[in-house]
Amino acid sequence: MAGLSSGANPNVTKTALDRVFYQRYSATPGPQFAFAGDEMVFQQDSTDRAAVIQEVFKGVGLWSNTPEQAEYQGDTPLVNDQITFSVARYTKKFNISEEMLEDDLHNVVRNAVQQMGTKARVSQNSVSMGLYRNADGTTLTSDGVALLSASHVNINGDTIDNTISGALTVDTLEEGIQLLVEQKDQSGDIIGHEAKTLLVPPTSYKEAVEITESRLEANTTDNQLNVFSAKYGIVVRQSQYLGSAAGGKATTPAFFLMGEYHSVMRFVRVPVQTRMLAGELQENGDSVYRGRYREVYGAVSYEAFVGYEGV
């Protein structure tokens, strides 16, 4: 940390601090933990403006049996149900006095930057998981209802129910798989979404792994083959930001089951950036280390997404 003692060289100081910051910020959690950059849980995209405007696409319907020499059967693709996600700005800074830089015998500055990097990652993960925590309430899709709802309406006019009836068990997981397989798209056609990701709070992680990965069917003495592990290959993710301590459902935990083409999104406008303001620019001689990022999270449609809202 010798470079930090030179207030006259802010570029060297920033480089040293950035190494510490990004070491913590870029640390990838274990494979079982969901995070904002996890493509199994959030479809990743970027944006070049302050708001992301999305519309739901209704493609052509099923192909028609057409007699010889008859006209090709026509259809009209549509876009509808516009939704707007406004990009949010997240910031943090702290001051570093000249004396702290000169006398940093206990790595106070280094520890502060490490913690700032950790909190940047925590902020992204906690805010992004708010979409799932509020899936039955304030997380709205383009049709104007909650992400988990029995009253979604597609562009074709069909009512879609993407809610599972109860807490995570072998039976309710099977129910969710069937909901995905039989779910209609915006044209009213059954596409057949394959379950890919099961997202749960920490209290349900053990149960989720036992149900999906045991060789034999979980919670039974019948020694039947576990179809989930044998045929589906569902990936289990947990998030501490879905638990009751983070505002999740306390009595009966929620869980979510997604196909590959779900539309829970993360749009990044500006990735995490840091800057060092030299003490020479401040009246009191303090240097300022600061960071910012801009991004937004949103759910566009019910498609390829089912779940139980919890209690």
Side-chain angles (χ1 to χ4, degrees), residues 36 42 85-86 90 123-125 127-129 131 264-267 293 295-299:
F42 294 95
F85 306 119
S86 297
Y90 300 87
S123 298
Q124 289 176 323
N125 295 342
V127 172
S128 64
M129 284 297 162
L131 287 185
V264 180
M265 305 291 299
R266 177 195 183 206
F267 297 96
Y293 66 90
E295 58 189 40
V296 65
Y297 320 95

Side-chain angles (χ1 to χ4, degrees), residues 60-251:
V60 299
L62 299 178
W63 288 39
S64 303
N65 186 337
T66 308
E68 185 178 352
Q69 294 188 309
E71 287 188 13
Y72 281 58
Q73 298 299 302
D75 210 335
T76 304
L78 296 172
V79 289
N80 206 343
D81 293 343
Q82 187 178 98
I83 188 169
T84 300
F85 306 119
S86 297
V87 174
R89 175 175 178 253
Y90 300 87
T91 66
K92 189 60 64 179
K93 72 173 184 177
F94 67 90
N95 287 26
I96 310 170
S97 69
E98 293 175 300
E99 293 74 22
M100 184 178 291
L101 284 174
E102 293 167 351
D103 305 330
D104 186 25
L105 302 179
H106 301 289
N107 288 328
V108 174
V109 175
R110 181 185 179 91
N111 290 339
V113 173
Q114 284 180 333
Q115 196 258 3
M116 186 173 166
T118 298
K119 287 302 179 70
R121 186 182 71 245
V122 168
S123 298
Q124 289 176 323
N125 295 342
S126 178
V127 172
S128 64
M129 284 297 162
L131 287 185
Y132 288 94
R133 285 196 305 273
N134 300 303
D136 62 330
T138 57
T139 299
L140 304 181
T141 59
S142 60
D143 60 0
V145 300
L147 177 56
L148 280 184
S149 173
S151 56
H152 286 287
V153 178
N154 64 11
I155 295 176
N156 192 58
D158 305 301
T159 299
I160 309 295
D161 182 355
N162 69 337
T163 62
I164 298 173
S165 61
L168 180 63
T169 63
V170 171
D171 290 339
T172 56
L173 181 58
E174 176 63 22
E175 178 188 347
I177 290 172
Q178 293 303 316
L179 281 174
L180 284 178
V181 168
E182 297 177 355
Q183 191 178 76
K184 292 181 178 180
D185 68 1
Q186 297 294 334
S187 300
D189 298 321
I190 297 173
I191 298 300
H193 295 292
E194 182 180 356
K196 290 291 187 181
T197 307
L198 174 60
L199 177 63
V200 299
T203 52
S204 301
Y205 182 71
K206 178 176 180 290
E207 180 80 2
V209 171
E210 289 176 349
I211 290 174
T212 58
E213 298 184 17
S214 298
R215 187 176 64 86
L216 301 178
E217 185 173 323
N219 302 323
T220 179
T221 59
D222 295 335
N223 291 329
Q224 298 181 97
L225 178 68
N226 183 358
V227 66
F228 302 124
S229 61
K231 297 298 181 183
Y232 286 106
I234 297 170
V235 174
V236 179
R237 290 285 199 271
Q238 65 171 314
S239 174
Q240 61 271 47
Y241 305 112
L242 295 179
S244 58
K249 303 299 173 63
T251 304

